[in-house]
Amino acid sequence: MHRKQIIELAAKHRLPAIYSYRYFVTEGGLLSYGADLMELYRRVASYADRVLKGEKPADLPVQQPTQYQLVINLKTAKVLGLEVPPTLLARPDEMIE
């Protein structure tokens, strides 16, 4: 993946980019909103357990994510000259300052 290059290009062109994964924001991206990967990994483990105990994979239901994460990088917002609205600041699961 070329995540570092994508983040650098967005910053160079002063684009307020939104990403789907938290790790983009920890590396300098502005904001991410996407499925909570840890919750998905726990679900995968439970599915693997069920398959190993004899259930057929085709019989298991397809599941959608139920938990999402909002992560905001305030340092990047400042560099881009953006003011994050207070309503958005009240909701993130994580803020990077």
Side-chain angles (χ1 to χ4, degrees), residues 46-91:
S46 99
Y47 265 47
D49 180 58
R50 290 170 68 179
V51 169
L52 291 172
K53 288 180 179 173
E55 287 189 56
K56 293 180 183 176
D59 294 338
L60 297 175
V62 174
Q63 294 185 7
Q64 295 290 324
T66 58
Q67 295 178 9
Y68 294 85
Q69 281 188 324
L70 172 63
V71 182
I72 302 171
N73 189 325
L74 295 176
K75 204 161 85 173
T76 301
K78 186 177 180 179
V79 167
L80 293 174
L82 299 172
E83 184 179 325
V84 181
T87 53
L88 195 57
L89 288 174
R91 297 186 168 245

Side-chain angles (χ1 to χ4, degrees), residues 29-46:
L30 174 63
L31 185 141
S32 71
Y33 184 72
D36 181 344
L37 293 180
M38 292 308 291
E39 188 251 345
L40 292 179
Y41 295 150
R42 280 191 275 286
R43 284 192 189 185
V44 167
S46 99

Side-chain angles (χ1 to χ4, degrees), residues 2-3 6 9-11 14-15 18 21 27 39 41 44 46-49 58 77 80 90-91:
H2 302 286
R3 126 174 109 236
I6 292 169
L9 280 171
R14 302 184 56 75
L15 295 173
I18 298 174
Y21 298 108
E27 292 188 23
E39 188 251 345
Y41 295 150
V44 167
S46 99
Y47 265 47
D49 180 58
L80 293 174
R91 297 186 168 245

